[in-house]
Amino acid sequence: MVCALGASVCFGTATVLQAMAARAAGAGGTGGGAAALLLRALRQWRYLAGLGLDGVGFVLQIVALRSIPIYAVGAALAASLAVTAVVASRLLRVRLSRVEWSAVAVVCAGLAMLGLASGAEGDRTGSLALKYAMLGTSVAVLVLGLVGGRLPDRGRALALGLGAGFGFGVVEVAVRLIADLDPGTLLANPATYALLIGGGAAFLLLTTALERGSVTTATAGLVIGETIGPALVGVVWLGDRTREGLTWLAVLGFAVAVAGALALARFGEAPETEERTSVSVPS
């Protein structure tokens, strides 16, 4: 659980650092489109630090997925929104309402309950059918990403957010389905390709959703997609369990943590303009 929480802290902090770098790059640039903005952002130490934290967070996520149930890892990763909110309140001077501070406390309470109730990860390696199912899901997410920009405005952000969540959920499950790291075995395992395609497709969908739709709606879809589905797969097909007699506490903790994260969905993308935050960015 410590690794899962560490990944959450890394991802949540990286979001704010990258937002600060992107805003600085946008303020000091002379146009040139998204590619030019990205190149200017890459010259910002905050952006590079954010990428580094993303890398560390991904490693911690993998370690956590090999140690504790998927439902606990998924809830902890959703809690990165609480980390983003708290860090943004300090570095970006974003003013959190009492409701949002309460949501942060709710997320922490949910994670505490999960920590108390979570058992060891399941001992099942997953059937070949499940591995191909994950591969098929990842391809479906990729197709949705390729056509996502053409979806009707109504519901587009939610659909793309859910698709991104399913993609990241595929990554969570695929990590558990890869038991042997031998190169030959990896290449023959459908879960390997599911992980690569699912992760890439998820980033594509999330980027499209945040660019062309409501951040809050997209992030809510993301949280739902990356937590509920993988948690069910872990329990039903991979043998994830709770401590004896504490199933009720795990279910309650999972629901509370996800609900708190949904209340903080606007922090799925750090605020970019004064109109949205009513604050100025420190130099």
Side-chain angles (χ1 to χ4, degrees):
M1 193 66 177
V2 173
C3 288
L5 293 175
S8 177
V9 171
C10 287
F11 291 143
T13 305
T15 296
V16 179
L17 291 176
Q18 289 165 349
M20 293 177 70
R23 292 172 66 180
T30 57
L37 177 62
L38 176 60
L39 290 176
R40 291 196 296 270
L42 286 171
R43 292 196 287 267
Q44 302 277 337
W45 70 266
R46 291 185 183 91
Y47 197 88
L48 296 176
L51 290 178
L53 284 173
D54 281 334
V56 173
F58 183 68
V59 172
L60 291 174
Q61 176 186 354
I62 291 177
V63 174
L65 286 167
R66 310 288 284 191
S67 306
I68 61 176
I70 293 177
Y71 63 78
V73 178
L77 294 181
S80 65
L81 292 172
V83 176
T84 298
V86 173
V87 175
S89 72
R90 296 292 183 265
L91 297 184
L92 290 175
R93 299 197 180 101
V94 174
R95 185 175 301 169
L96 301 185
S97 67
R98 290 183 180 179
V99 172
E100 288 170 332
W101 278 118
S102 298
V104 171
V106 165
V107 169
C108 294
L111 292 176
M113 287 186 277
L114 271 175
L116 290 173
S118 297
E121 68 167 340
D123 55 2
R124 301 178 198 165
T125 57
S127 65
L128 184 61
L130 179 59
K131 295 175 183 178
Y132 274 111
M134 290 299 102
L135 179 57
T137 302
S138 69
V139 172
V141 172
L142 179 60
V143 172
L144 178 59
L146 295 176
V147 302
R150 301 171 186 162
L151 293 175
D153 290 339
R154 186 175 182 179
R156 176 170 56 192
L158 179 59
L160 293 177
L162 277 172
F166 289 143
F168 288 126
V170 167
V171 172
E172 294 174 21
V173 176
V175 168
R176 287 279 298 275
L177 297 178
I178 299 175
D180 193 338
L181 298 181
D182 175 74
T185 305
L186 277 176
L187 291 175
N189 190 342
T192 302
Y193 304 100
L195 188 154
L196 296 174
I197 297 173
F203 278 113
L204 175 62
L205 263 71
L206 185 58
T207 300
T208 304
L210 295 179
E211 179 185 3
R212 302 185 180 183
S214 164
V215 170
T216 301
T217 302
T219 304
L222 171 71
V223 170
I224 293 172
E226 74 175 346
T227 54
I228 298 177
L232 290 175
V233 171
V235 171
V236 176
W237 284 286
L238 298 179
D240 288 347
R241 292 293 181 266
T242 64
R243 293 183 181 179
E244 187 68 28
L246 292 180
T247 300
W248 67 270
L249 185 61
V251 172
L252 179 61
F254 180 86
V256 167
V258 172
L262 289 174
L264 296 168
R266 78 178 179 99
F267 293 97
E269 181 184 56
E272 295 181 353
T273 64
E274 291 188 5
E275 287 75 10
R276 285 173 57 190
T277 63
S278 298
V279 298
S280 59
V281 184
S283 58

